[in-house]
Amino acid sequence: MPDRTSVPFSRILVALSVAALALASSSQGAAEEDATLAEVIRDHMAERGATVQLAPTPQLARRYAVDLTGVVPTPEDVSACEGKTPEEMFDYFRAKAPMAHTRGDAPYVWANLIRDADHFLFSNSTQFAQVRHIRELEGQLRRVYAEGWSYAEFTRWALESQYFLARFPSGADRANAAFFLFLGRDSLASEVAVGRRWNGWVLREPLLPASAAEDDPDYHEHDYDPSVCGTPGVLCEAELWGVGGSTPAEAIDQMVSSTLFAEAVVDRYWERYVGSPLPGVDFPIIRRILVQGLRDHGYDVNWLVREIATSPAYTQEMMFR
């Protein structure tokens, strides 16, 4: 009588084949995650019979000079870049001392602040902010580039600042703005409610006249008062992605620790320096590598900028980009 518990040999072979393929795929994924951005791009090109064509020194020097300092390179700059690697050229322009057009800032800091202005200061979300708040935000952003301040900590500061609170008076406004500015997309209907967590913020001096907006440092200063949440009709609790909370700090920590936050940072800087959106759908490993690297380096955007701007995606000769 045949053994009904036996398994046909053909099925064993199929099972082993599937397991081997799964293991190979897992190993390949792990190897990709350990690879650098430059290695992944080179391997991707090699699989298609292409090789990296590094831009000539004058072309690459001009690219770095314009992107990092805001001006074209001098003949002396081009001469100084002869024989340098992309990393050395990047560091050369990154280290430029203040110039006539940078208002006392290092050119690298100045150029990034100008580009951030489009996103933070003059976007549809912040165009009506008080001038004093715009200057305050610029000062904090300067720390990000000049001192390597964590972009995650800058985000926490920004979402708790009086600049943000005064500009967006309702919880829904704050949720929409926070998602747009720091998570790279509009908030969904189920996510707008997280704005309630900011409802405990109250004006420190509510009787100051609007005419004091630019002169009195207490105008638009806010403090967190949890007792406000006990007022009838004021809701301070909300759920975000299945996790409840009742304070701004809880909402901010949840947003900043999410993958969306790191991906939004990577996407914005990639497009800033490469000039086109990151190919995340067709080539997701690029985003994964940069997101992991950004986290590993404490959300230092200077690391991220250098990684992108010294990769083959940036340094390719113009006709191959």
Side-chain angles (χ1 to χ4, degrees), residues 100-216:
H101 67 289
T102 63
R103 300 179 301 171
D105 273 323
Y108 170 80
V109 174
W110 176 87
N112 276 295
L113 289 177
I114 290 295
R115 292 181 174 93
D116 278 326
D118 290 336
H119 185 69
F120 290 108
L121 308 184
F122 306 122
S123 70
N124 289 334
S125 291
T126 58
Q127 62 183 343
F128 300 115
Q130 299 289 336
V131 172
R132 184 170 66 86
H133 300 149
I134 290 176
R135 290 174 181 159
E136 181 182 12
L137 182 65
E138 185 181 65
Q140 298 299 327
L141 277 167
R142 186 176 284 104
R143 292 181 59 197
V144 169
Y145 298 108
E147 303 172 20
W149 193 35
S150 164
Y151 191 79
E153 290 308 309
F154 160 73
T155 300
R156 288 189 172 94
W157 170 86
L159 292 178
E160 289 187 336
S161 69
Q162 74 268 18
Y163 145 80
F164 181 78
L165 296 162
R167 169 64 187 90
F168 306 105
S170 77
D173 287 342
R174 289 168 187 169
N176 285 326
F179 269 73
F180 172 77
L181 293 172
F182 295 109
L183 299 186
R185 64 169 173 81
D186 293 331
S187 54
L188 303 176
S190 60
E191 296 164 336
V192 171
V194 73
R196 295 175 190 160
R197 299 191 198 180
W198 274 275
N199 285 344
W201 286 93
V202 294
L203 284 171
R204 182 177 300 170
E205 299 290 345
L207 299 181
L208 283 175
S211 59
E214 297 301 331
D215 302 319
D216 194 313

Side-chain angles (χ1 to χ4, degrees), residues 11 14 22 27 52 83 144 164 186 200 203 232 237 241 268:
R11 289 180 59 187
V14 170
S27 301
V52 174
V144 169
F164 181 78
D186 293 331
L203 284 171
E237 295 184 4
W241 306 323
R268 188 157 58 83

Side-chain angles (χ1 to χ4, degrees), residues 28-60:
Q28 181 181 5
E32 281 186 332
E33 296 295 351
D34 291 335
T36 65
L37 175 62
E39 290 170 344
V40 166
I41 294 175
R42 289 194 183 98
D43 290 346
H44 180 75
M45 295 176 66
E47 290 173 0
R48 288 151 181 78
T51 57
V52 174
Q53 301 292 329
L54 185 66
T57 296
Q59 184 186 119
L60 193 52

Side-chain angles (χ1 to χ4, degrees), residues 60 239 242 321:
L60 193 52
E239 186 176 280
R321 290 186 81 190

